[in-house]
Amino acid sequence: MNDTVTFNDQGLESRSLSSYTEQAYLDYSMYVILDRALPHIGDGLKPVQRRIVYAMSELGLKATAKYKKSARTVGDVIGKFHPHGDSAAYEAMVLMAQPFSYRYPLVDGQGNWGSQDDPKSFAAMRYTESKLSKYAELLLAELGQGTSNWRPNFDASLEEPEILPARVPSILLNGTTGIAVGMATDIPPHNLNEVVSAALHLLDNPKADIPELMNFIRAPDFPTDAEIITPKADIQAAYETGRGSVKMRAVWSKEDGDIIVTALPFQSSGSKVLEQIAAQMRNKKLPMVADLRDESDHENPTRLVITPKSNRVDIDILMDHLFATTDLERSYRINLNIIGVDGKPAVMNLKRILKEWLSFRIDVTRRRLDYRLQKVEKRLHLLDGLLIAFLNIDEVIHIIRSEDQPKPSLMQKYGLSDLQADYILDTKLRQLARLEEVKIRAEQEELAKEKSELELLLSSDARLKTLVKKELKASAEEYGDERRSALKERTEAQAFSEKDLVTAEPVTVVLSDKGWLRAAKGHDIDPTSLNYKAGDKFLSSALGRSNQNLFLQDTTGRFYALSAHTLPSARGQGEPATGRLNPPSGSLFTHVVMGDDSQKILLGTDAGYGFVAKIGDLFTKNKAGKAVVSIPKGGKILSPKLVSDENLLIAAVSNEGRLLAFPLSDLPELSRGKGNKIINIPSSRLQAREEFVVDFAVIPEGGSLVVHSGKRYLVMKSKDLEHYRGERGRRGHKLPRGFQKVDRLEAE
């Protein structure tokens, strides 16, 4: 940064606007990161939360105290510690009081503190009352014992603690979210017993890896009974990198044919879920649901009832759809971004968090013991002075009463220190006269014993670790509980496709010569007898179901897909396919095909080439279609043929009356292309349009072939076809005279 600061004649500082702006932004960014948005690893709190908890403890609002108006507490926080507005402080306080937001609430509230349906519907702070919860003692119990560094508050009028001396890894227990500048944090809540067990294991085994720690901390534990469905491997990856996500799914059961939802994911609203389902019902996207209602009450905080239309509805598939499309399933981001012991933000993995917190906890414990040792040593020193005064009580009283400056005399005569002399002089004479040697010596013995214990603890790291372990176990026994969020790996939920919602009714799709489409209900429709526009006529039809796609073939060998249920009724004259599709200019639609995706179909050209494809391979979302059949120069596309049975024969006939039959199995199965040669048509003759294939037919084993020639037709049974059977790609044999000018082939 080019930071050039100059001073003018009056001694005033002058600097460039760019350097000033840059510095101001950096200062602001660092303030947001370090003093607003991110929690500290020590106590797991953001500064505003820490200030609220500390202010409440200073006001005497412990778990055993009476409730006090929240406005007075917030006022105290604002006035003394927090440089922001009262609404921000109150909102932070509300969050710490909501049992559905915090796994272990720090504030115990009376009045309206919001509900799971609407967490922000809490009453104004002048109406609510609050005090600290019992759990908050884990953050405050050791505060006055030399365990915390103190710093001036925002206006330097008094001191506030930098970090509260937490007795448990609070950073993992309640979790937190925060948005800073250029970074954010998302720490999910965890179970106290699990976290303490992992911390104890890490104390005994410093080299333990994350899979080992996950034997204790299996996953986050949210303040809800909903299931965590994320696979263990994904959770492990999140714990190893500090980044990832976790999914939760609602818990439901069947009751008298109804679906009863009894637990929602973390921060999901029951009313919002019902709203989402109702919106789908209104938009006809959920025809299998008949009714919705909310039966939640004080006994059942969550009870959503979904009534299916009939007992034939597959409830598992329905719930799968609802999980995919509503807040019955939610994903939560994990980003373990924390201010570490060194005072710098970092994305940490699970092991590092526990390791750093344990180092913080051992340091806090050492400071607490050290502080107590100093107090004990000071008291022992004073007791030594008191004992000397007691043993020489008359002389001491005489010196105090008679001397103008008794302090130097006492120090000289009895070898007292400055501290001891001050203590004796500060004690009232009446109290000095009442001293008892037995009591002094008993106190000395007691303190000497404590002193040796403290020195022993402070001299040994192993003993210090043992003490930390003992205190962690005690905290877990007192405040620990069972896991709430069950762990159940489940497959990913799938929403219904539009096709799934459509009833499977039989339909006949009709294509006119001018490319108009319509769909008639049923398969007993005569498409040629329908009304057509002037100059238009019937071209092609296909039988299928309303939940299937129809495929249009054009003269370029492209196929186009449309949903059958979206077509206009056959009562009218339909609508042009070009209104929905975008075929190349000059191309014409030639045929329409329908069937299951696995249905096989014969595709080919009059150049004598073809192949077998599956109808599913024709599908495309592209309005411009999909190039499926490659047409040789001079060739034209032929109408597709459905392939129904095994052991089929394919028959091909040319305009010169040459017929060739061979097993269909000789043709390859392709998804697109030119295909293989079916019957030999010389390319020069094809280009001159002298010789080409008139039609193909697919004949079942033992079936007959009908050759249509003008008004005459020839029925050829399987024994008649033997003469025309040959290898694929041959020229074939000529049909009898009178049937050599073939119009079409038909299989029976």
Side-chain angles (χ1 to χ4, degrees):
M1 185 170 65
N2 185 19
D3 193 4
T4 51
V5 179
T6 56
F7 294 88
N8 61 15
D9 297 339
Q10 288 80 37
L12 297 172
E13 182 185 323
S14 170
R15 65 194 296 188
S16 71
L17 184 62
S18 62
S19 85
Y20 170 78
T21 313
E22 192 174 339
Q23 191 59 53
Y25 183 69
L26 284 172
D27 290 346
Y28 167 73
S29 302
M30 290 315 294
Y31 154 70
V32 172
I33 291 166
L34 299 175
D35 210 38
R36 245 175 78 183
L38 298 192
H40 194 281
I41 196 163
D43 54 13
L45 299 174
K46 297 177 189 178
V48 63
Q49 296 171 323
R50 191 178 300 120
R51 285 164 183 150
I52 291 166
V53 171
Y54 175 63
M56 289 179 82
S57 75
E58 286 293 284
L59 291 166
L61 293 176
K62 299 212 171 118
T64 51
K66 285 184 180 174
Y67 290 95
K68 186 176 175 181
K69 280 277 184 242
S70 303
R72 297 187 66 183
T73 305
V74 170
D76 211 65
V77 176
I78 300 302
K80 290 179 182 175
F81 305 109
H82 197 55
H84 295 289
D86 55 354
S87 60
Y90 183 51
E91 208 164 315
M93 185 179 180
V94 168
L95 194 72
M96 293 192 288
Q98 292 175 334
F100 48 85
S101 294
Y102 258 43
R103 184 68 178 81
Y104 301 96
L106 293 166
V107 176
D108 184 359
Q110 226 178 225
N112 177 12
W113 289 80
S115 66
Q116 190 163 347
D117 259 5
D118 192 2
K120 299 221 168 168
S121 64
F122 48 86
M125 58 187 168
R126 61 183 177 274
Y127 302 122
T128 60
E129 295 180 333
S130 57
K131 62 180 181 178
L132 288 170
S133 68
K134 200 166 180 298
Y135 174 81
E137 288 172 18
L138 288 174
L139 302 175
L140 296 161
E142 300 171 3
L143 192 58
Q145 300 175 24
T147 51
S148 184
N149 293 331
W150 296 76
R151 68 177 177 200
N153 67 340
F154 66 99
D155 63 356
S157 57
L158 49 88
E159 302 276 294
E160 63 172 332
E162 282 185 7
I163 304 156
L164 298 178
R167 296 187 66 163
V168 288
S170 193
I171 187 77
L172 288 171
L173 300 182
N174 279 319
T176 192
T177 61
I179 301 166
V181 179
M183 62 177 71
T185 185
D186 292 278
I187 304 165
H190 291 80
N191 185 275
L192 176 57
N193 284 337
E194 290 180 9
V195 171
V196 167
S197 301
L200 292 171
H201 182 76
L202 195 60
L203 270 173
D204 290 332
N205 308 280
K207 290 185 178 175
D209 56 3
I210 286 170
E212 215 173 309
L213 293 173
M214 279 186 71
N215 292 331
F216 306 96
I217 304 174
R218 294 176 293 160
D221 184 24
F222 294 88
T224 168
D225 296 326
E227 300 169 347
I228 292 172
I229 62 166
T230 307
K232 189 182 174 183
D234 292 359
I235 296 171
Q236 186 177 317
Y239 282 150
E240 281 174 344
T241 59
R243 287 195 177 95
S245 67
V246 66
K247 264 187 188 170
M248 288 198 90
R249 188 177 282 188
V251 173
W252 63 279
S253 59
K254 274 193 319 195
E255 197 176 293
D256 301 329
D258 291 342
I259 300 162
I260 312 292
V261 178
T262 52
L264 290 169
F266 181 53
Q267 291 173 337
S268 277
S269 157
S271 57
K272 191 182 174 187
V273 167
L274 290 179
E275 201 179 299
Q276 289 170 329
I277 299 171
Q280 291 190 37
M281 289 167 73
R282 276 197 305 275
N283 296 333
K284 305 220 169 28
K285 298 239 172 118
L286 217 52
M288 59 288 290
V289 174
D291 190 30
L292 291 174
R293 54 188 187 277
D294 190 350
E295 292 182 359
S296 307
D297 53 32
H298 65 284
E299 284 181 5
N300 304 293
T302 305
R303 187 177 165 87
L304 308 180
V305 182
I306 303 165
T307 307
K309 231 172 198 160
S310 71
N311 57 6
R312 293 192 303 277
V313 172
D314 192 322
I315 288 176
D316 290 317
I317 293 173
L318 170 60
M319 286 307 294
D320 225 32
H321 168 78
L322 292 176
F323 288 137
T325 57
T326 68
D327 280 355
L328 287 172
E329 183 178 300
R330 285 189 67 179
S331 187
Y332 304 91
R333 197 166 46 241
I334 295 175
N335 182 20
L336 307 178
N337 192 11
I338 304 163
I339 296 171
V341 174
D342 58 359
K344 294 174 185 174
V347 176
M348 304 183 187
N349 62 28
L350 183 65
K351 183 177 176 178
R352 186 176 164 191
I353 292 171
L354 287 171
K355 207 169 180 178
E356 280 211 20
W357 184 84
L358 285 168
S359 73
F360 163 81
R361 180 63 195 155
I362 289 165
D363 182 54
V364 164
T365 308
R366 184 178 278 110
R367 287 173 69 174
R368 187 185 82 218
L369 296 174
D370 213 30
Y371 180 79
R372 179 63 187 161
L373 181 63
Q374 285 173 24
K375 286 196 84 169
V376 167
E377 283 176 339
K378 187 181 175 183
R379 182 64 183 161
L380 280 169
H381 184 61
L382 295 175
L383 285 173
D384 287 341
L386 270 186
L387 193 62
I388 292 166
F390 172 77
L391 295 171
N392 304 282
I393 190 71
D394 295 333
E395 289 176 41
V396 168
I397 289 169
H398 177 73
I399 290 168
I400 292 168
R401 281 179 172 170
S402 60
E403 297 267 351
D404 286 339
Q405 298 231 335
K407 185 177 173 181
S409 303
L410 285 170
M411 286 171 72
Q412 193 179 347
K413 189 162 183 180
Y414 301 110
L416 299 173
S417 70
D418 197 51
L419 203 66
Q420 287 172 323
D422 280 337
Y423 185 65
I424 291 165
L425 291 169
D426 289 342
T427 309
K428 291 176 181 175
L429 292 175
R430 195 186 298 122
Q431 282 174 298
L432 279 173
R434 283 185 189 163
L435 287 174
E436 293 176 30
E437 188 182 356
V438 177
K439 280 186 180 176
I440 293 170
R441 291 203 184 277
E443 193 179 346
Q444 275 183 324
E445 278 177 27
E446 202 177 315
L447 289 172
K449 189 182 172 187
E450 190 180 347
K451 183 188 171 186
S452 64
E453 283 174 2
L454 288 168
E455 283 174 338
L456 199 64
L457 279 168
L458 287 163
S459 65
S460 167
D461 287 345
R463 283 192 173 89
L464 203 61
K465 274 186 185 177
T466 306
L467 178 64
V468 168
K469 281 165 71 176
K470 192 177 166 186
E471 288 174 351
L472 274 169
K473 280 177 186 169
S475 300
E477 277 170 26
E478 191 171 352
Y479 299 97
D481 58 3
E482 291 298 310
R483 166 176 274 280
R484 282 195 65 184
S485 304
L487 300 176
K488 289 193 180 163
E489 284 189 29
R490 299 201 186 268
T491 52
E492 197 172 339
Q494 289 285 325
F496 291 138
S497 65
E498 202 176 346
K499 226 188 270 182
D500 296 331
L501 300 171
V502 178
T503 52
E505 295 173 340
V507 290
T508 304
V509 174
V510 182
L511 173 69
S512 80
D513 190 49
K514 301 292 183 192
W516 286 58
L517 277 171
R518 49 187 150 169
K521 285 187 179 178
H523 286 170
D524 52 352
I525 310 293
D526 180 10
T528 55
S529 64
L530 297 174
N531 285 330
Y532 292 90
K533 282 182 171 293
D536 202 359
K537 59 183 181 185
F538 168 77
L539 178 65
S540 173
S541 68
L543 306 179
R545 294 189 304 277
S546 55
N547 64 343
Q548 290 177 331
N549 289 313
L550 67 108
F551 299 93
L552 289 163
Q553 179 186 272
D554 75 359
T555 49
T556 66
R558 303 179 83 82
F559 275 85
Y560 308 81
L562 290 171
S563 298
H565 72 275
T566 63
L567 294 181
S569 166
R571 288 191 182 97
Q573 289 172 332
E575 63 179 49
T578 48
R580 301 189 189 192
L581 304 169
N582 189 19
S585 63
S587 69
L588 298 169
F589 296 115
T590 62
H591 209 79
V592 63
V593 181
M594 284 184 84
D596 294 324
D597 287 351
S598 57
Q599 169 74 59
K600 289 182 181 176
I601 188 170
L602 173 67
L603 302 173
T605 61
D606 65 3
Y609 288 85
F611 59 94
V612 175
K614 284 181 182 165
I615 284 184
D617 294 334
L618 307 177
F619 182 75
T620 176
K621 287 183 179 176
N622 197 344
K623 284 186 176 181
K626 179 182 181 180
V628 177
V629 183
S630 302
I631 303 172
K633 193 176 177 183
K636 291 180 182 176
I637 194 121
L638 292 177
S639 60
K641 310 289 180 189
L642 292 177
V643 176
S644 53
D645 299 310
E646 295 297 320
N647 305 322
L648 302 169
L649 282 179
I650 176 171
V653 68
S654 74
N655 62 326
E656 292 187 346
R658 291 185 176 274
L659 179 71
L660 177 68
F662 61 88
L664 187 68
S665 55
D666 290 356
L667 266 189
E669 198 171 304
L670 306 171
S671 58
R672 60 171 71 188
K674 180 179 169 183
N676 283 20
K677 192 178 281 186
I678 295 174
I679 186 168
N680 187 10
I681 305 287
S683 60
S684 58
R685 298 203 73 200
L686 174 78
Q687 288 174 32
R689 299 301 291 173
E690 290 172 1
E691 190 178 352
F692 50 85
V693 175
V694 173
D695 202 4
F696 295 132
V698 178
I699 312 158
E701 188 71 24
S704 307
L705 177 69
V706 183
V707 179
H708 292 267
S709 179
K711 291 183 180 179
R712 298 175 69 196
Y713 63 89
L714 172 69
V715 178
M716 302 175 78
K717 297 196 180 317
S718 49
K719 62 179 181 184
D720 303 326
L721 282 169
E722 282 301 317
H723 174 65
Y724 299 96
R725 287 186 74 151
E727 290 180 15
R728 179 182 63 76
R730 299 288 185 180
R731 289 280 286 157
H733 292 285
K734 282 215 171 189
L735 286 162
R737 284 183 183 273
F739 293 99
Q740 291 179 358
K741 198 177 176 184
V742 181
D743 292 326
R744 61 188 172 92
L745 298 177
E746 193 181 336
E748 281 188 350

